[in-house]
C-alpha cells in the first residue's frame, strides 16, 4: 500500500495498475481500507483515502476505484481520465453517479452475487423486529434507572408468531429475511419490481402482493429494495398512512427509501406503532433528525452489513472482482 502522492505518480509512470480505495472514516477509514492492498495481486498498487477528494493526483492516475459507501460524483469521474472500473463494496450502488459512469464507458460493479452481506443484514432485520416486539430498549433503560417497568410495558409487548411480514424487495437479502420469517411462524408476503419464480415463492412460503396492499395488511414492513430514482421516498406520507396503527417499519436498506419527516410524524402522532432503523439519509444523521428522538424507535448506525465475518467477505468479494478485471476478465455484477 502507498499513501504518498509522489509514490503514486512514480508507480503510474512505471506502468503499475493503480487502485484507489476510498473508505470514509465513519465506516472504518484507512484502517479498514488497508486490507485491500493485501488482497490485490501485483502489479496493482493501492492508495487508501477517506474521501475521493483527498488525493487528486491519486484520482487522476487511478485505473480502478473501490468505494465503501463514499460518494463518487460525475465531477470525480471527470477528474479520473485513466479510470476503467468503479467497484462498490456493497450490494447497493446509490452513492455512485451510475449514469455519469455509463456515459464515460466506466462499469460500476457491486458485490451482489457474492452473498457476502445477505445473512447478517437479515439477522439485523430480525434483531430490530424483536427489539420492537419485546420493547427491549425502553425495558433496558427503565431497569437501568431502577424502574421495574413490567406493568407499564406489558400492554405493548407482542410476538412475531402469526404476524404478517411484508418484504419490499425480494432479492438475496429479502429472501433471507423471508426464510427467517417462516422460522418465526410468520405469514410472509412481498412486493417488488417483478414477481419471483413460482419455485422461489414455494421455497420461501411467500405470497406476492402489490405494494399498497402489502402495506395495508402487514404487521411488519421490512425494506430491502435498492435506492434508485424510482424507489427514493418509496414510503411517502401517503403510503405510510396505509399502514395499520399497530404496524412496525424496519429499514436495513437505505434511509432515503422513506420520507423521514413523514415517518417521524406518524410515530409522534401514534399513527404507527414503531420503527427499527439501521440506515439514514444522510449518514451519519444530523443531530436535528427528528427520528433520533421519536417514540418507540430502535436505532443502529448502519451495522447490518458489517459484522467481523461480513467485512472480510465484502473485502474479498470486491478485491476478487477487481483482480479479475486487472487480469483481463469481464467484471461481475455490473449495474450500468
Amino acid at each position: 500500500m502507498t499513501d504518498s502522492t509522489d509514490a503514486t505518480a512514480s508507480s503510474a509512470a512505471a506502468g503499475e495498475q493503480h487502485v484507489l480505495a476510498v473508505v470514509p472514516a465513519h465506516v472504518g477509514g484507512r484502517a479498514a481500507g488497508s486490507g485491500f492492498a493485501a488482497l490485490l495481486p501485483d502489479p496493482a498498487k493501492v492508495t487508501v483515502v477517506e474521501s475521493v477528494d483527498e488525493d487528486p493526483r491519486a484520482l487522476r492516475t487511478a485505473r480502478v476505484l473501490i468505494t465503501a459507501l463514499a460518494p463518487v460524483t460525475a465531477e470525480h469521474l471527470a477528474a479520473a481520465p485513466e479510470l476503467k472500473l468503479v467497484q462498490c463494496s456493497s450490494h447497493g450502488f446509490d452513492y455512485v453517479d451510475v449514469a455519469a459512469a455509463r456515459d464515460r464507458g466506466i462499469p460500476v460493479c457491486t458485490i451482489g452475487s457474492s452473498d457476502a452481506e445477505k445473512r447478517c443484514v437479515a439477522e439485523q432485520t430480525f434483531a430490530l423486529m424483536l427489539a420492537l416486539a419485546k420493547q427491549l430498549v425502553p425495558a433496558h433503560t427503565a431497569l437501568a434507572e431502577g424502574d421495574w417497568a413490567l406493568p407499564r410495558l406489558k400492554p405493548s409487548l407482542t410476538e412475531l408468531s402469526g404476524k404478517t411480514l411484508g418484504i419490499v424487495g425480494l432479492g438475496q437479502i429479502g429472501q433471507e429475511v423471508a426464510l427467517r420469517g417462516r422460522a418465526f411462524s410468520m405469514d410472509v408476503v412481498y412486493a417488488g419490481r417483478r414477481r419471483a419464480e413460482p419455485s422461489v415463492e414455494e421455497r420461501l412460503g411467500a405470497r406476492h402482493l402489490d405494494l399498497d396492499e402489502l402495506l395495508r395488511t402487514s404487521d411488519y414492513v421490512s425494506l430491502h429494495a435498492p435506492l434508485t430514482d424510482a424507489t427514493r421516498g418509496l414510503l411517502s406520507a401517503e403510503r405510510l398512512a396505509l399502514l395499520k396503527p399497530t404496524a412496525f417499519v424496519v429499514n436495513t436498506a437505505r434511509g432515503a427509501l422513506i420520507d423521514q419527516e413523514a415517518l417521524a410524524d406518524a410515530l409522534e402522532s401514534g399513527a404507527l406503532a414503531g420503527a427499527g432503523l439501521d440506515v439514514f439519509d444522510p449518514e451519519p444523521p444530523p443531530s436535528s433528525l427528528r427520528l433520533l428522538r421519536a417514540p418507540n424507535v430502535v436505532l443502529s448506525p448502519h451495522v447490518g452489513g458489517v459484522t467481523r465475518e461480513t467485512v472480510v467477505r465484502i473485502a474479498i468479494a470486491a478485491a476478487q472482482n477487481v483482480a479479475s478485471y486487472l487480469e483481463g476478465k469481464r467484471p461481475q455484477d455490473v449495474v450500468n
Side-chain angles (χ1 to χ4, degrees):
M1 182 184 72
T2 177
D3 291 308
S4 165
T5 55
D6 291 336
T8 298
S10 62
S11 294
E16 292 166 334
Q17 302 191 83
H18 182 208
V19 176
L20 181 61
V22 191
V23 186
H26 74 272
V27 295
R30 288 179 181 81
S34 63
F36 286 117
L39 292 169
L40 292 173
D42 289 334
K45 297 298 179 181
V46 183
T47 299
V48 180
V49 295
E50 294 187 350
S51 75
V52 184
D53 301 308
E54 182 179 322
D55 191 337
R57 188 180 298 183
L59 180 61
R60 285 197 302 272
T61 62
R63 182 175 177 83
V64 175
L65 191 156
I66 302 174
T67 172
L69 302 180
V72 179
T73 67
E75 290 75 18
H76 294 141
L77 296 170
E82 302 300 319
L83 193 63
K84 303 300 181 184
L85 182 75
V86 174
Q87 174 68 56
C88 300
S89 298
S90 64
H91 280 71
F93 51 90
D94 51 283
Y95 46 95
V96 176
D97 191 327
V98 174
R102 182 179 60 245
D103 290 344
R104 300 183 69 86
I106 301 171
V108 177
C109 302
T110 69
I111 58 165
S113 64
S114 70
D115 296 343
E117 293 180 287
K118 67 179 186 178
R119 286 177 289 275
C120 65
V121 176
E123 288 180 0
Q124 182 69 15
T125 298
F126 271 86
L128 294 170
M129 289 170 57
L130 286 165
L132 290 165
K134 308 306 178 185
Q135 294 286 290
L136 290 183
V137 172
H140 170 89
T141 301
L143 200 56
E145 295 174 351
D147 176 11
W148 185 259
L150 174 60
R152 185 174 71 256
L153 294 177
K154 185 177 178 181
S156 57
L157 298 174
T158 64
E159 56 190 42
L160 300 187
S161 177
K163 302 299 191 299
T164 298
L165 169 60
I167 298 172
V168 181
L170 199 68
Q172 290 185 339
I173 295 172
Q175 290 183 31
E176 289 291 316
V177 172
L179 289 171
R180 285 157 178 76
R182 295 296 294 174
F184 275 92
S185 300
M186 302 181 81
D187 181 30
V188 179
V189 298
Y190 76 95
R193 289 180 301 169
R194 61 180 67 89
R195 185 165 182 171
E197 294 293 327
S199 60
V200 174
E201 291 186 344
E202 182 178 359
R203 177 173 63 87
L204 301 175
R207 293 183 293 112
H208 179 265
L209 297 175
D210 67 57
L211 178 58
D212 287 356
E213 184 61 20
L214 179 147
L215 296 175
R216 292 188 186 97
T217 58
S218 295
D219 299 296
Y220 291 83
V221 173
S222 189
L223 300 183
H224 302 285
L227 179 60
T228 65
D229 290 342
T231 61
R232 185 175 296 275
L234 184 67
L235 290 197
S236 60
E238 293 75 20
R239 282 207 165 110
L240 287 168
L242 299 176
L243 288 158
K244 298 183 288 188
T246 55
F248 298 92
V249 169
V250 177
N251 190 6
T252 56
R254 289 291 185 267
L257 292 173
I258 303 178
D259 182 331
Q260 295 180 136
E261 287 296 308
L263 179 58
D265 287 340
L267 292 165
E268 291 170 359
S269 69
L272 194 62
L277 305 173
D278 186 50
V279 288
F280 305 89
D281 181 33
E283 291 184 348
S287 59
S288 59
L289 185 68
R290 289 166 58 204
L291 285 173
L292 302 182
R293 291 168 294 280
N296 206 18
V297 172
V298 179
L299 308 173
S300 55
H302 206 150
V303 300
V306 291
T307 61
R308 289 195 300 268
E309 300 88 347
T310 302
V311 168
V312 174
R313 291 196 298 266
I314 289 172
I316 291 173
Q320 285 178 339
N321 204 28
V322 170
S324 294
Y325 170 76
L326 294 176
E327 292 168 359
K329 300 175 184 176
R330 182 183 296 274
Q332 295 183 334
D333 301 312
V334 177
V335 297
N336 62 339

